[in-house]
Amino acid sequence: MNEPHSSTTRHPTTELVNAGLKKRYRSERLFKLYGLIAVTIAIGMLGLLFVTIGGRALPAFVQTFVTIDVQLDAETIDPAGTRDPEVLSTANYQALVRQSLRDIFPDVSGRRDQRELYRLFSSGAPFEVREIVMANPSLIGSEITVSFPVSADIDQLSKGNISRDVPEADRRVSDKQIVWFDALDSQGRIETRFNTALFTQGDSREPELAGIWGAVVGSFYALAITLLLSFPIGVASAVYLEEYAPKNKLTDIIEVNINNLAAVPSIVFGLLGLAMFLNFFGLPRSAPLVGGLVLSLMTLPTVIIASRASLMSVPPSIREAALGLGASKLQVIVHHVLPLAMPGMMTGTIIGMARALGESAPLLMIGMVAFIVDIPQGPMDPATALPVQIFLWADAPERAFVERTSAAVMVLLAFLIVMNGLAVWLRSKFEQRW
């Protein structure tokens, strides 16, 4: 007679299952812990990046100024008294600024000491006096009070980046310049202001005069051209491939190549733009038009892939219902499919534009690395872009450009965060779940 299965015969199986469950639960907890550690490390590294760059960038947002009285000598500016703008623009304003400085320090004599004294000021000080006179010629003959930015070395001394304890031979500011700076500070002529020139002026060899506005305008023109070309062409290509193209080997080859182009290094597109737009078509070098064309080639695969994915997410029932009501193929796409897929298309386009904004390699190949001071007035004017401007400043030897490089990086990161945030907002606001 067989004995019935007792609890002792089932117990090992139960224990084995419970042991397996415990092992799986432990593995799941470890997996979640590893993910949490990975996320924490990623956030920590991102925070470290922002703290490091932000710490270096903060001094660039302020600038040291010195206030002096300048006598607008009529004999120096306009001896004939004609008030001719051409005469006023070519007057020797540098002599007026230097004379004002000598009036403050009358004991400074000798050409060598005077040259050191003049280096307290930025080389852009005479141009500021000229702008004041050109704007109001009636001031000629009077005395005005003007604030000039100090030179980059004096600005670094004011910010504490140049130590006074270092021997004179090992620093860029002499002992005499420190004494004169302290004298101006004791007279209340030294002050620190927000550095508006960083956001309103173009590039310059002098760090205290250098700004990012020219690069921002150049980036704007290049991105506008990129958007105007890549969005309509990318959406139209996606609509054809998804809605009209026959499923054959040729279509498969096109799809594979589009996917491959999205992963091609950006410098390859720069080489293509150099060969095609500059060498073959003869378009101007360093122009935002060429930069926009090159960035369009780079962004187009991303827009096509994102647009196709958005079109595929529209349920077939929408198309079938529209066709059942008698709509044509074109009406189905234009009136029903495209409006529903447009949020995903816009999100993909914004992400592609954000990538284009941060690219520098293709722009270097088409000459947008040139030193350009003037603000571009159109897409055909020579210009540079924000990432290329960062590349240029990062290679500059002056210490003041280090903080300006970090400030430009912060501005670029701010643009990227805003564009990605806009993409997330569009997706959350207009996305429809089926």
Side-chain angles (χ1 to χ4, degrees), residues 23 40 89 97 106 115 124 174 302 343 405 434:
K23 185 177 180 181
T40 304
S89 65
V97 175
R115 281 199 299 270
S174 66
T302 304
T405 302
W434 311 100

Side-chain angles (χ1 to χ4, degrees), residues 105-287:
F105 300 101
D107 298 334
V108 178
S109 59
R111 299 182 62 179
R112 183 174 181 179
D113 289 347
Q114 288 182 350
R115 281 199 299 270
E116 286 191 30
L117 180 63
Y118 300 152
R119 284 201 288 269
L120 293 178
F121 283 139
S122 167
S123 60
F127 299 102
E128 292 196 24
V129 178
R130 185 184 65 178
E131 291 180 1
I132 293 174
V133 173
M134 295 293 292
N136 189 5
S138 63
L139 294 174
I140 297 176
S142 63
E143 186 178 75
I144 61 174
T145 301
V146 191
S147 294
F148 303 117
V150 298
S151 64
D153 292 334
I154 300 301
D155 183 53
Q156 293 299 308
L157 174 70
S158 176
K159 293 175 180 176
N161 294 329
I162 294 180
S163 176
R164 297 168 181 255
D165 300 329
V166 175
E168 183 178 10
D170 296 335
R171 51 178 150 82
R172 295 174 60 88
V173 179
S174 66
D175 290 339
K176 293 180 180 177
Q177 288 177 320
I178 293 178
V179 172
W180 295 329
F181 173 78
D182 291 340
L184 291 172
D185 192 16
S186 63
Q187 296 174 10
R189 297 179 182 273
I190 301 294
E191 61 177 338
T192 301
R193 301 178 185 174
F194 182 72
N195 187 9
T196 56
L198 180 65
F199 301 96
T200 58
Q201 296 185 3
D203 197 8
S204 173
R205 297 293 186 195
E206 305 299 331
E208 70 275 8
L209 302 177
I212 61 172
W213 183 239
V216 171
V217 175
S219 294
F220 169 77
Y221 283 128
L223 288 179
I225 293 170
T226 303
L227 179 62
L228 291 176
L229 291 177
S230 62
F231 183 69
I233 296 176
V235 171
S237 301
V239 169
Y240 176 78
L241 290 173
E242 194 61 32
E243 302 291 341
Y244 290 102
K247 304 300 180 185
N248 51 32
K249 289 187 178 179
L250 178 61
T251 307
D252 293 340
I253 292 174
I254 293 174
E255 292 178 359
V256 169
N257 279 280
I258 290 174
N259 293 333
N260 288 335
L261 284 173
V264 169
S266 58
I267 195 170
V268 176
F269 292 100
L271 291 171
L272 176 63
L274 173 65
M276 186 168 64
F277 299 126
L278 297 185
N279 296 339
F280 185 75
F281 290 108
L283 293 176
R285 185 179 292 271
S286 303

Side-chain angles (χ1 to χ4, degrees), residues 352-429:
M353 297 293 293
R355 181 196 172 194
L357 175 63
E359 285 291 345
S360 60
L363 301 181
L364 296 178
M365 300 305 299
I366 60 171
M368 293 192 77
V369 71
F371 174 72
I372 298 170
V373 178
D374 298 329
I375 308 298
Q377 302 300 316
M380 299 297 286
D381 292 341
T384 186
L386 199 51
V388 180
Q389 186 67 76
I390 294 171
F391 174 79
L392 287 172
W393 283 356
D395 198 38
E398 289 84 356
R399 185 187 180 97
F401 275 121
V402 175
E403 58 191 42
R404 277 162 175 76
T405 302
S406 299
V409 170
M410 293 297 292
V411 173
L412 180 60
L413 287 175
F415 276 118
L416 294 175
I417 291 174
V418 169
M419 294 183 73
N420 283 280
L422 179 61
V424 172
W425 180 77
L426 286 174
R427 185 177 58 196
S428 62
K429 184 173 180 61

Side-chain angles (χ1 to χ4, degrees), residues 33-46:
L33 179 62
Y34 294 152
L36 182 61
I37 292 174
V39 172
T40 304
I41 292 175
I43 294 176
M45 296 300 291
L46 186 62

